[in-house]
Amino acid sequence: MSVAIETRDLRKAWGAAVAVDGISFTAPAGEFTVLLGPSGCGKSTTLRLIAGLEEATDGAVLIDGADVTRRPPNDRQISMVFQSYALFPHLNVAENILFGLKVRRVPAAERAERLARVAGLLGLERLLDRRPSQISGGQQQRVALGRAIIAEKPICLMDEPLSNLDAKLRHEMRVELKALQRKLGITMVYVTHDQVEAIAMADRIIVLNGGRIEQNADPRTLYDKPASTFVARFIGTPPMNILDLAPGDGGWCIAGDRTAIAPPHAALPDRVQLGVRPEDIALADAGGVPATVEQVEYLGADLLVDCRIAGQPLVARVATRHPVAAGERVNLIWPAEHQHLFDAATGARIEAAPGFPNPTVTSRSAGP
Amino acid sequence: MTRPSLTLRREWVHGWLLLTPALVLLFAFTHLPAVTTIWDSFFSTPRGRREAKFVGLRNYETLLADDTFWQVLSNSLWYAAVTIPVSVGLALLMALWVDGRLSGRGFVRLAYFAPTVLPLIAVANIWMFFYTPGFGLIDQIRGAFGLPEVNWLGNPDLALGSVMVVAIWKEAGFFMIFYLAALQSIPPQLREAAAIEGASRWTFFRRVTFPLLMPTTLFVSVNAVINSFRMVDHVFVMTEGGPDNASSLLLFYIYETAFKYWDTAYASTLTVVLLVLLSALALGQFFLLDKRVHYR
């Protein structure tokens, strides 16, 4: 039943404006794949190319191994949920959900049976004779979902389906969508700009930037081993701290500081950047890297501490029990295995070299 | 206790002050004439020193016995029955075409809208040239195919039809603009959602576009009904109701009665008929169509 999607060097350009610039990936059968990126990164266009709503300038879309690049949308085994839901305003909920089945002339008895099943699954039984304008945003979202799943297509494409819902509803729908996808074994391709949504739902996340793939990995890898500074800063709240390094006495230090972070190593490029997630940073009584606290934001369970290390800004997320005040001098430490190195010129990740991590920092990484 | 009632009073005064200009105009030029018309239809026409006197339903009896009235009424109904659906249908077709991806779309839109901008008198004069027997545009084209001359406006069987064509040509472009605006307010995602379900263009039109255009269709057809009884300028220019009243319409007949023969009482009676007819049509349209119209 499950069907995989593959794109090969997919390109879409409108004149000189290139929206999608050579994207190749596979959305495995029965998995939840998220296309993630900031607005204008080409994620929606990629989805529309898969759906057949846009014609590819170059490259190919393969569904279940067959080239469907030039085929119409209804010939691609897909259903789709739009950001605006695209419900027909003059039809009631039942008619909206049944629209596709009627178009395909499914017999009335089967239509009724499938409608009852879908309405039950989504809790829409009592809304069936309402118009879209008479139900709430969350309910409209369910109707759009119902219209997609009643088609019983092996692939479901979703274009930011939750972005019009309030935070609480969005969280509920996230859980529900994921469960539904598992239950029905659908191959899901889901577009979002919300990294929390992506991490929470995806089996696989494809991070896009400027029409290209930055990284294609499972959520854990994306968080633990971001392939570039772009991914590093895009995933996680607050985003990863990126600091310039400079060669110092004992090895690479944060520019302007003298604590060695990494040993001098031939494999490193000329300009190197250090990445540390705010949640990996802890405060130490002594040792580590000295910093000045500029501002403290109280979040309840945690504190967000804005610091500067020799002029470079950095955010640390520490437990509330550490009293810190603005203007204070603190020592920051983090486990060496949680520091990331990037090539400053390209932004690409540098895999840890032998002789690394540096003991200066690890020795105090136990933390207070 | 005094303050709230004072503010209430002042709001009331302000409200009426704001309404007054519109009310004065509406009463002076719409309601008063309408009531006077009905009143006059029960009196005789004043002539010279003879005052109008109450004649009861005598004018209406004259009306029922007037062959010209029946012919003009039948002309008007035919005129409405043909020009309304044809111009509305044509407007919808043109709007669908112009809404699509079309090279030179702006030019085509302009071309369709142009007849609306022209005064009907000018339009009628242009069409006079088209219809002129022998060397008019239509006969020249017919001549090229070896077909005989036709007196479009002089033949009693063709005159009304020729006048209708002009009205349709004039009206369709105007209604097209309304349809075009409505079409462009339909979100493109609806078409995409339907495309994913495999709906053909016709299915999409029948199940989505057309129902969503219903409010526009109602508005346009009410206007078309009113216009079909209201616009007679081209009759003045082209046929003056002739030959033998073949192209005379109700409003034109009212004008002739009132301002050519100065039979104002009978003209009032005719006007009452027109008013009743228009009110009945407008009410019927709203009540019949309203149930099937979806307003967003």
Side-chain angles (χ1 to χ4, degrees), chain A residues 53-106:
Chain A
L53 296 173
E54 301 289 351
E55 205 172 311
T57 311
D58 207 355
V61 177
L62 286 84
I63 288 175
D64 202 13
D67 188 338
V68 296
T69 319
R70 303 284 163 227
R71 291 218 211 133
N74 57 324
D75 214 7
R76 296 183 177 211
Q77 311 179 61
I78 55 156
S79 56
M80 186 160 174
V81 177
F82 293 83
Q83 181 173 2
S84 60
Y85 312 143
L87 299 179
F88 302 114
H90 60 296
L91 299 179
N92 65 22
V93 168
E95 292 285 321
N96 260 293
I97 295 176
L98 288 173
F99 184 86
L101 299 191
K102 280 196 174 166
V103 166
R104 291 190 289 279
R105 296 183 201 289
V106 173

Side-chain angles (χ1 to χ4, degrees), chain B:
Chain B
M1 201 51 216
T2 47
R3 277 195 77 83
S5 73
L6 249 173
T7 35
L8 210 71
R9 212 181 147 74
R10 190 189 288 165
E11 271 177 18
W12 188 79
V13 170
H14 283 174
W16 277 104
L17 277 176
L18 287 170
L19 279 175
T20 304
L23 273 181
V24 166
L25 288 175
L26 211 60
F27 271 109
F29 296 104
T30 306
H31 295 154
L32 193 62
V35 172
T36 320
T37 302
I38 295 171
W39 182 258
D40 284 350
S41 74
F42 296 106
F43 286 82
S44 66
T45 304
R47 289 194 196 281
R49 256 185 238 155
R50 225 164 2 124
E51 296 250 319
K53 63 170 199 271
F54 184 75
V55 292
L57 291 173
R58 180 112 42 87
N59 284 324
Y60 289 91
E61 283 160 17
T62 316
L63 181 97
L64 292 178
D66 180 3
D67 288 341
T68 312
F69 165 72
W70 288 112
Q71 186 183 357
V72 167
L73 184 66
S74 128
N75 281 351
S76 282
L77 293 178
W78 269 112
Y79 182 85
V82 174
T83 57
I84 296 166
V86 172
S87 59
V88 172
L90 208 59
L92 179 57
L93 276 180
M94 295 193 308
L96 286 170
W97 190 45
V98 172
D99 189 43
R101 281 183 206 165
L102 182 74
S103 56
R105 188 168 57 173
F107 176 76
V108 178
R109 281 183 192 176
L110 182 73
Y112 280 154
F113 192 58
T116 307
V117 186
L118 298 174
L120 188 49
I121 300 280
V123 167
N125 275 303
I126 298 170
W127 277 86
M128 286 280 274
F129 164 70
F130 291 169
Y131 282 142
T132 313
F135 55 88
L137 183 71
I138 296 174
D139 268 8
Q140 286 197 9
I141 293 169
R142 286 171 59 89
F145 292 98
L147 293 163
E149 283 181 12
V150 176
N151 189 353
W152 294 99
L153 298 172
N155 182 336
D157 294 332
L158 298 176
L160 186 61
S162 304
V163 170
M164 285 182 195
V165 169
V166 178
I168 293 166
W169 183 78
K170 168 92 177 144
E171 296 257 282
F174 181 53
F175 297 150
M176 177 198 76
I177 295 299
F178 292 102
Y179 273 124
L180 193 59
L183 279 175
Q184 292 186 339
S185 73
I186 296 178
Q189 284 82 17
L190 294 188
R191 183 177 293 277
E192 292 175 349
I196 283 178
E197 303 288 2
S200 65
R201 286 171 65 116
W202 168 243
T203 311
F204 181 72
F205 175 76
R206 192 173 51 86
R207 297 262 290 137
V208 182
T209 313
F210 190 68
L212 289 180
L213 289 177
M214 275 311 266
T216 311
T217 304
L218 178 63
F219 173 77
V220 159
S221 51
V222 168
N223 269 284
V225 166
I226 293 168
N227 280 354
S228 76
F229 286 97
R230 193 182 61 115
M231 295 206 324
V232 289
D233 313 22
H234 54 317
V235 177
F236 279 89
V237 174
M238 295 169 75
T239 64
E240 297 207 36
D244 193 17
N245 290 321
S247 63
S248 181
L249 300 173
L250 197 50
L251 187 59
F252 185 78
Y253 186 50
I254 292 171
Y255 170 82
E256 276 196 319
T257 311
F259 301 110
K260 250 183 173 165
Y261 313 136
W262 295 103
D263 189 352
T264 47
Y266 189 50
S268 298
T269 316
L270 288 168
T271 309
V272 171
V273 173
L274 182 62
L275 280 177
V276 169
L277 204 65
L278 277 179
S279 322
L281 279 170
L283 283 177
Q285 266 176 326
F286 271 109
F287 283 113
L288 275 180
L289 286 177
D290 216 24
K291 284 184 199 135
R292 288 192 277 154
V293 173
H294 167 76
Y295 292 98
R296 264 176 288 177

Side-chain angles (χ1 to χ4, degrees), chain A residues 78-283:
Chain A
I78 55 156
S79 56
M80 186 160 174
V81 177
F82 293 83
Q83 181 173 2
S84 60
Y85 312 143
L87 299 179
F88 302 114
H90 60 296
L91 299 179
N92 65 22
V93 168
E95 292 285 321
N96 260 293
I97 295 176
L98 288 173
F99 184 86
L101 299 191
K102 280 196 174 166
V103 166
R104 291 190 289 279
R105 296 183 201 289
V106 173
E110 190 188 337
R111 281 203 310 250
E113 186 219 323
R114 276 159 80 170
L115 175 65
R117 198 164 60 218
V118 168
L121 194 64
L122 297 170
L124 290 171
E125 297 100 329
R126 281 187 296 167
L127 302 174
L128 289 177
D129 50 2
R130 301 257 194 100
R131 292 254 176 83
S133 57
Q134 297 166 324
I135 58 178
S136 72
Q139 290 165 337
Q140 288 180 18
Q141 216 280 329
R142 276 163 200 272
V143 178
L145 202 59
R147 195 171 61 184
I149 59 181
I150 202 169
E152 295 176 2
K153 302 279 179 75
I155 297 170
C156 185
L157 308 177
M158 296 200 173
D159 190 358
E160 312 220 14
L162 306 185
S163 58
N164 294 341
L165 303 181
D166 61 56
K168 184 170 170 288
L169 208 53
R170 202 180 310 167
H171 176 76
E172 283 171 20
M173 284 306 292
R174 220 151 67 191
V175 176
E176 225 169 290
L177 268 183
K178 177 72 184 164
L180 205 61
Q181 181 264 334
R182 283 262 172 77
K183 187 170 163 191
L184 303 177
I186 310 172
T187 306
M188 179 81 86
V189 181
Y190 186 104
V191 162
T192 183
H193 63 268
D194 181 349
Q195 49 101 9
V196 178
E197 209 169 284
I199 299 254
M201 298 169 89
D203 294 315
R204 174 160 295 275
I205 298 177
I206 295 162
V207 182
L208 298 178
N209 182 28
R212 292 169 184 276
I213 295 181
E214 285 277 338
Q215 191 169 9
N216 173 355
D218 62 284
R220 186 162 289 278
T221 312
L222 216 59
Y223 180 83
D224 287 343
K225 291 187 187 310
S228 64
T229 46
F230 177 83
V231 178
R233 298 214 30 103
F234 201 77
I235 307 282
T237 2
M240 187 186 276
N241 298 297
I242 304 286
L243 301 159
D244 288 329
L245 295 187
D249 295 340
W252 289 86
C253 306
I254 292 170
D257 187 68
R258 280 192 284 165
T259 322
I261 300 292
H265 198 277
L268 292 185
D270 298 342
R271 286 170 52 229
V272 182
Q273 285 178 319
L274 168 74
V276 190
R277 293 206 176 273
E279 51 271 35
D280 291 330
I281 301 175
L283 301 177

